[in-house]
Amino acid sequence: MKKTIAVVPGDGIGPEVMQEAVKVIDAVAEKFGHQFDLVYALAGGSAYDKFGSHLPDETLSICEKGDAILFGSVGGPVSEMQLPKWKDCERNSILTLRKHFSFAVNLRPSRVYPQLQSLSPLKPDLVAKGIDLLIVRELVGDAYFGVHKRDVADGERYATDEAKYTESQVKVAVHAAFECARKRRGKLTSVDKANVLTTSKLWREVAEEVAAEYPDVEYENMLVDNCAMQLIRDPSQFDVIVTSNMFGDILSDAAAVLPGSLGLAASASLNKDNFGLYEPPGGSAQDIAGQGVANPIAQILSAAMLLKYSFGLEAESKAIEDAVEASLAEGYRTGEIYSGEAFEKRVNTKQMTEAILRNLEKDPISVCNEKVSVPK
Ligand code: NAD
């Protein structure tokens, strides 16, 4: 397969972890006989330094010409947010990209690795049941895009945010979620507040109509308040969750803390033509930038999602995921996931990637065998 990937490293740890993800992409290309042409572009503060803009036209054009976008992270130190270089940096770059490409759904996997059980804030018996879920969040509807109004009436300030959903917005998200469930364990939970909200009543009606087209996928509805509780009480019950923009925003952040580190999380944003942007949901981590200690796994797993969802390369994507898991099983830990256990090897960004690359080189059977010998 021959594909072009637009690579946008961004700021802070973005370029550090991106160069590691690129090594993994190159290794996959060689192992599986593909050609991935990587075209680099600037965004965020690094783009502002050169072009005076957080998202130059050149970057948009490179992204448009690519078959998919691999994005790092943008943004400056929280204490410098008011400087022109950083002010509105995230909104001007990543949010503009999302709008430009009409990304309609966001995919956020949340998986607790058996090797890192102790990092999860959940009790060990809950984690032992296996936590591996995917939240599909609708991205272009809901209160975020309705009319926002603020006024004064009867001497009192008041504010309203209009929430709106169209049938087709719901359909796009729910179809995407069913397709994901088919590729995973075949279960979909649609989350709404249909006991109160009109938008949720429409959501449930449309989701149930779409469900009739996927008889092979187990389907259920769940109210959002119950879902929030179940995510903490027993997340092992979930495979894929699909929900509206605001509920997805909140639930996906709750699910993101289950694995114990932002350095392990990946995400994808897809439009209805399946064009996608892949990025770690964490930020530019300015507190550790430039030290070479960031965890590259989030960026590497974002690349694995790109291969799976934009290029349909499931075996290649799985090979990366398995190599990450095998490296964790061997005890490799970057600083933020190191707990000081005797079997752990504390490593920096490059050394973690080297372990992943070594495991990627091995044949699938030996990687699989290593997964069984998880240190307790
Ligand atoms: P952050 O997500 O950058 O960092 C939060 C914490 O997680 C930090 O302690 C950081 O060191 C740690 N962390 C994040 N990724 C890590 C990794 N790969 N390895 C190890 N540790 C990791 O959030 P913040 O510090 O609040 O924000 C920093 C900047 O990032 C801000 O300018 C913010 O606006 C921006 N931001 C950008 C995005 C994006 O690009 N999509 C998302 C969130 C925040």
Side-chain angles (χ1 to χ4, degrees), residues 210-224:
V210 174
E213 298 174 39
Y214 297 85
D216 51 319
V217 175
E218 186 189 337
Y219 175 82
E220 65 177 358
N221 295 306
M222 191 177 279
L223 292 174
V224 64

Side-chain angles (χ1 to χ4, degrees), residues 8-16 42-49 53-55 71-95 279-290:
V8 189
D11 305 312
I13 63 165
E16 296 172 39
L42 294 173
S46 56
Y48 192 90
D49 282 342
S53 157
H54 291 127
L55 193 71
F71 197 88
S73 309
V74 290
V78 178
S79 60
E80 296 177 20
M81 286 303 179
Q82 289 316 310
L83 298 181
K85 176 174 174 179
W86 300 120
K87 194 168 184 304
D88 294 330
C89 171
E90 221 181 311
R91 187 197 311 187
N92 294 342
S93 50
I94 187 72
L95 295 189
E279 59 175 333
S284 56
Q286 294 284 348
D287 54 334
I288 55 167

Side-chain angles (χ1 to χ4, degrees), residues 87-342:
K87 194 168 184 304
D88 294 330
C89 171
E90 221 181 311
R91 187 197 311 187
N92 294 342
S93 50
I94 187 72
L95 295 189
T96 306
L97 272 176
R98 284 181 191 155
K99 208 167 158 194
H100 182 82
F101 289 103
S102 306
F103 291 125
V105 290
N106 183 246
L107 313 187
R108 291 268 294 265
S110 177
R111 178 170 175 210
V112 179
Y113 287 94
Q115 300 82 359
L116 299 178
Q117 280 189 9
S118 62
L119 290 180
S120 176
L122 296 181
K123 287 184 183 160
D125 57 324
L126 286 181
V127 176
K129 290 169 83 175
I131 300 168
D132 183 1
L133 59 93
L134 174 72
I135 297 187
V136 178
R137 168 186 167 194
E138 198 287 329
L139 272 188
V140 292
D142 216 345
Y144 297 10
F145 295 93
V147 177
H148 305 291
K149 198 176 137 198
R150 211 187 133 124
D151 214 333
V152 178
D154 301 328
E156 235 196 341
R157 286 168 294 171
Y158 75 93
T160 54
D161 296 299
E162 180 199 42
K164 181 177 168 187
Y165 261 114
T166 65
E167 187 178 345
S168 55
Q169 286 169 340
V170 181
K171 271 187 186 160
V172 167
V174 177
H175 272 295
F178 269 109
E179 293 299 331
C180 291
R182 270 189 172 159
K183 289 184 185 147
R184 291 171 51 96
R185 300 192 302 281
K187 184 179 173 192
L188 180 64
T189 306
S190 174
V191 173
D192 59 42
K193 187 73 182 166
N195 53 344
V196 179
L197 301 175
T198 315
T199 43
S200 279
K201 287 188 173 88
L202 176 75
W203 180 282
R204 188 174 287 203
E205 198 178 301
V206 175
E208 286 178 349
E209 286 162 15
V210 174
E213 298 174 39
Y214 297 85
D216 51 319
V217 175
E218 186 189 337
Y219 175 82
E220 65 177 358
N221 295 306
M222 191 177 279
L223 292 174
V224 64
D225 35 356
N226 184 28
C227 182
M229 191 170 73
Q230 298 299 334
L231 265 179
I232 311 299
R233 203 188 65 81
D234 183 14
S236 70
Q237 69 187 280
F238 296 114
D239 177 15
V240 179
I241 292 172
V242 64
T243 191
S244 54
N245 206 346
M246 189 184 298
F247 297 155
D249 191 0
I250 300 164
L251 293 177
S252 58
D253 269 18
V257 302
L258 302 179
S261 167
L262 272 176
L264 301 166
S267 81
S269 299
L270 304 175
N271 67 17
K272 59 181 175 35
D273 304 320
N274 228 29
F275 181 78
L277 179 147
Y278 300 81
E279 59 175 333
S284 56
Q286 294 284 348
D287 54 334
I288 55 167
Q291 299 172 26
V293 297
N295 193 339
I297 289 179
Q299 192 74 61
I300 289 170
L301 290 179
S302 299
M305 286 187 87
L306 183 155
L307 298 182
K308 179 171 171 175
Y309 290 104
S310 278
F311 301 167
L313 298 175
E314 298 206 16
E316 289 80 344
S317 177
K318 178 86 170 42
I320 298 175
E321 289 170 3
D322 285 349
V324 166
E325 198 171 345
S327 306
L328 294 171
E330 288 168 351
Y332 291 99
R333 303 281 187 271
T334 43
E336 95 291 0
I337 55 171
Y338 177 73
S339 61
E341 295 287 340

